[in-house]
Amino acid sequence: MIFRRKNSEQELSPQARERLAEIVEQYLTDADDATRRIVTAVAGLLAKVAYADGHYSVQEEATIQKELGRVHGLSQAGVDAICGLLADQISHVALLGDHDWTRDLRDLAERQLRLEVLEVLVEMAVADEVLKHEEQVQLRRIAKALSLTQDDYNAIQAKHRDKLSTLR
């Protein structure tokens, strides 16, 4: 074969994604399984949006730290462990499909929480004050997979219009 796709799904190991779930389980010991699955899904989707353009910036890492720091019961050590995994292996976490994460959020989270997750994901995408095309495509696809509408996405994105050089 003359042409090969970089980072095809077959070349990426799911071990980093499994490790993400293990870290969440390790540091959210008092939470039930549904809560751990929701937190894992949110962390995974944050990584997916952060890496949508193939680059993981300092601003994106800081945003992930901030958002994970808001999770009730997740210690700073847990946040650091997740962020350490992402710093080392974000491509392995982000580039495989996210259908398990979006399914868990659809099945386990009420609409209001799914909207909050989408808002956090949009905030992740604008952490560097530029909403790139790849990030928009990713966010719209995730919104649909979360059973949210284009209107939901547009309303959340509009809240960040002042931060978005691509929308000015």
Side-chain angles (χ1 to χ4, degrees):
M1 176 184 255
I2 297 173
F3 300 103
R4 263 193 311 217
R5 287 181 37 190
K6 286 185 179 179
N7 295 329
S8 73
E9 289 190 18
Q10 293 80 16
E11 294 171 2
L12 295 173
S13 166
Q15 291 174 349
R17 293 167 60 97
E18 293 166 2
R19 181 70 187 124
L20 175 61
E22 290 169 2
I23 290 170
V24 171
E25 185 173 345
Q26 177 183 350
Y27 287 97
L28 272 180
T29 55
D30 292 338
D32 61 15
D33 181 60
T35 300
R36 287 192 298 267
R37 287 171 54 195
I38 289 170
V39 171
T40 300
V42 170
L45 291 174
L46 281 166
K48 193 153 189 75
V49 171
Y51 200 68
D53 61 357
H55 182 270
Y56 185 40
S57 73
V58 172
Q59 298 97 328
E60 289 166 332
E61 184 175 12
T63 300
I64 289 178
Q65 284 235 353
K66 180 185 88 166
E67 295 304 333
L68 291 177
R70 295 175 44 206
V71 174
H72 179 71
L74 185 61
S75 66
Q76 186 59 50
V79 172
D80 292 345
I82 292 169
C83 288
L85 173 69
L86 296 182
D88 291 341
Q89 300 185 41
I90 194 164
S91 65
H92 293 280
V93 174
L95 293 179
L96 290 173
D98 58 23
H99 51 274
D100 291 343
W101 295 328
T102 55
R103 183 195 62 231
D104 282 350
L105 287 169
R106 242 187 358 261
D107 292 349
L108 301 171
E110 297 292 328
R111 175 178 161 71
Q112 186 58 41
L113 179 55
R114 288 181 281 132
L115 283 168
E116 289 176 34
V117 168
L118 182 59
E119 183 150 6
V120 165
L121 295 175
V122 171
E123 288 174 11
M124 164 57 61
V126 300
D128 58 2
E129 298 192 14
V130 177
L131 184 61
K132 297 176 184 91
H133 176 72
E134 298 90 349
E135 293 166 330
Q136 289 180 38
V137 169
Q138 191 74 255
L139 289 165
R140 287 181 181 175
R141 194 188 56 67
I142 290 169
K144 184 176 180 179
L146 293 176
S147 296
L148 299 173
T149 67
Q150 183 65 40
D151 287 343
D152 294 328
Y153 172 76
N154 291 343
I156 290 170
Q157 181 179 295
K159 293 179 185 179
H160 301 281
R161 189 167 298 277
D162 62 316
K163 299 177 190 172
L164 307 176
S165 64
T166 59
L167 298 178
R168 287 187 190 151

